[in-house]
Amino acid sequence: MVDLVVEAPRLRPLMFSIAYRMLGSVSEAEDVVQTGLLRMHERVQNGDPIDRADAFASTVATRLSIDVLRSARRTREMYVGPWLPEPLLVDDADPAHRIEHDETMSFAVLALLERLGPVERAVFVLHEALGYDYREISEIVDRDQAACRQIMHRAKQRLTAGGARFQVDASEAARLAGAFLKALREGDVDGVMRLLAADVVMTADGGGKAPAIQQPMSGDLAVARFLVGLMRRGEALGVEVEPTIANGEQTLLFRGRDGALLSVLALHVEDGAVRSVANQLNPEKLVHLGPVGDLFALLRDGVAGVS
């Protein structure tokens, strides 16, 4: 029988890993973990023992996440502008957040998962990220194995059609990110452009709560000019850049003079070039990382200071 006092610290990262990948939200994933552990505790207290803690925790986390996705469907459909996940830093201090940062954690893949239905998303995460076999998955999502195989096949087709790739060279990505930041700091549009794929796409998520482009921007020249322009304006306002890793990808944190976080910009690298750029600016999606700055106010004060 499972002793939840002993097992909870080990089960939290497993449950969070499932919920975060399915929801793309740190806060919602944390709620799933708390609710799931409470349900497990209540079951044990009611005299119904849990023999396989990992299997039960995975099932609870998956089913709760499916419920969240179904109830939040209307909210996500009405979201202002492009949707990007909440960033998860590799050096996050919360033990429950210290999960494997692989390709299924990338901004690009998590954003594409929004194209999938709740059960499709669950099957993909359980199989592709956690390595569960179809027998285990069928028990968790309450579908037969043949149906799970078909769901997985359909999910991968839809993700591949959307441009998802699951193989990233970490050393190559680190080298490119270093060169990218150097070119940005030097204001070198050509230098930035050489590091971008010709069909690079930049997406920004302000959620209506921070200034951000409302539609994805494409093309190496357009994205290079835009990013260099942002960097120049940021430097004039005292914005500092800090390289790190988030969601398994090379990432730049932009902070104001007071250290408050303004945005998290992730670089998705494939085949020797930056294939996509994801800029998370929505303050509600950054608050779990610490103090968040008011980008609207910063820009307004900067304009007032010039006039």
Side-chain angles (χ1 to χ4, degrees), residues 29-84:
E30 289 173 341
D31 289 343
V32 164
V33 173
Q34 289 300 109
T35 302
L37 287 173
L38 178 60
R39 288 192 181 180
M40 293 177 72
H41 175 75
E42 290 173 346
R43 172 171 171 150
V44 172
Q45 289 296 103
N46 290 333
D48 192 358
I50 298 172
D51 297 321
R52 297 167 56 218
D54 287 35
F56 194 91
S58 297
T59 300
V60 170
T62 301
R63 292 181 179 177
L64 285 173
S65 296
I66 289 173
D67 290 343
V68 171
L69 287 170
R70 286 172 173 162
S71 64
R73 179 179 177 182
R74 178 68 174 166
T75 302
R76 296 205 177 193
E77 287 176 349
M78 297 176 65
Y79 193 79
V80 178
W83 182 96
L84 290 173

Side-chain angles (χ1 to χ4, degrees), residues 244-263:
T244 187
I245 302 228
N247 296 71
E249 298 184 302
Q250 297 294 319
T251 299
L252 304 177
L253 306 182
F254 290 81
R255 300 184 183 276
R257 283 193 178 96
D258 58 358
L261 188 61
L262 299 170
S263 80

Side-chain angles (χ1 to χ4, degrees), residues 17-39:
S17 178
I18 294 170
Y20 175 75
R21 283 180 170 89
M22 287 185 63
L23 303 173
S25 167
V26 173
S27 56
E28 289 178 345
E30 289 173 341
D31 289 343
V32 164
V33 173
Q34 289 300 109
T35 302
L37 287 173
L38 178 60
R39 288 192 181 180

Side-chain angles (χ1 to χ4, degrees), residues 225-243:
R225 284 176 171 171
F226 184 79
L227 288 172
V228 169
L230 281 183
M231 190 70 174
R232 286 173 177 159
R233 191 171 187 185
E235 288 178 340
L237 296 171
V239 174
E240 297 184 353
V241 186
E242 173 189 337

Side-chain angles (χ1 to χ4, degrees), residues 9-301:
R10 185 180 65 82
L11 295 176
R12 283 181 184 275
L14 170 63
M15 299 171 76
F16 182 85
S17 178
I18 294 170
Y20 175 75
R21 283 180 170 89
M22 287 185 63
L23 303 173
S25 167
V26 173
S27 56
E28 289 178 345
E30 289 173 341
D31 289 343
V32 164
V33 173
Q34 289 300 109
T35 302
L37 287 173
L38 178 60
R39 288 192 181 180
M40 293 177 72
H41 175 75
E42 290 173 346
R43 172 171 171 150
V44 172
Q45 289 296 103
N46 290 333
D48 192 358
I50 298 172
D51 297 321
R52 297 167 56 218
D54 287 35
F56 194 91
S58 297
T59 300
V60 170
T62 301
R63 292 181 179 177
L64 285 173
S65 296
I66 289 173
D67 290 343
V68 171
L69 287 170
R70 286 172 173 162
S71 64
R73 179 179 177 182
R74 178 68 174 166
T75 302
R76 296 205 177 193
E77 287 176 349
M78 297 176 65
Y79 193 79
V80 178
W83 182 96
L84 290 173
E86 295 178 10
L88 190 65
L89 303 187
V90 71
D91 58 353
D92 193 302
D94 190 329
H97 298 173
R98 294 173 191 165
I99 59 179
E100 183 180 357
H101 284 226
D102 59 17
E103 292 83 357
T104 65
M105 286 274 289
S106 74
F107 273 61
V109 171
L110 290 179
L112 283 171
L113 285 179
E114 287 290 293
R115 300 183 178 195
L116 305 182
V119 175
E120 282 183 308
R121 211 178 297 193
V123 171
F124 175 83
V125 167
L126 292 170
H127 187 272
E128 194 72 19
L130 300 179
Y132 285 32
D133 62 36
Y134 288 111
R135 179 189 59 77
E136 295 169 309
I137 295 172
S138 69
E139 294 174 357
I140 292 173
V141 300
D142 196 23
R143 300 284 198 282
D144 62 44
Q145 292 186 47
C148 289
R149 289 179 186 277
Q150 183 59 35
I151 289 170
M152 182 64 190
H153 176 71
R154 186 168 62 245
K156 293 203 77 169
Q157 279 188 322
R158 295 181 68 182
L159 292 176
T160 302
R165 297 274 296 277
F166 306 108
Q167 297 298 322
V168 176
D169 186 324
S171 60
E172 177 185 57
R175 179 185 62 78
L176 281 173
F180 181 87
L181 179 55
K182 181 176 183 292
L184 268 186
R185 284 175 166 157
E186 294 174 352
D188 182 0
V189 173
D190 289 338
V192 173
M193 187 175 165
R194 282 193 294 271
L195 299 167
L196 301 176
D199 58 350
V200 64
V201 175
M202 177 176 177
T203 306
D205 179 349
K209 298 173 175 61
I213 55 175
Q214 292 298 297
Q215 297 294 332
M217 177 184 296
S218 61
D220 51 1
L221 180 57
V223 172
R225 284 176 171 171
F226 184 79
L227 288 172
V228 169
L230 281 183
M231 190 70 174
R232 286 173 177 159
R233 191 171 187 185
E235 288 178 340
L237 296 171
V239 174
E240 297 184 353
V241 186
E242 173 189 337
T244 187
I245 302 228
N247 296 71
E249 298 184 302
Q250 297 294 319
T251 299
L252 304 177
L253 306 182
F254 290 81
R255 300 184 183 276
R257 283 193 178 96
D258 58 358
L261 188 61
L262 299 170
S263 80
V264 176
L265 187 143
L267 307 174
H268 186 67
V269 174
E270 293 176 14
D271 302 327
V274 177
R275 179 69 57 185
S276 64
V277 180
N279 196 16
Q280 181 55 266
L281 304 107
N282 187 339
E284 292 183 353
K285 294 186 176 184
L286 300 177
V287 68
H288 64 284
L289 300 177
V292 179
D294 185 338
L295 193 49
F296 277 124
L298 179 65
L299 293 173
R300 183 175 60 248
D301 294 344

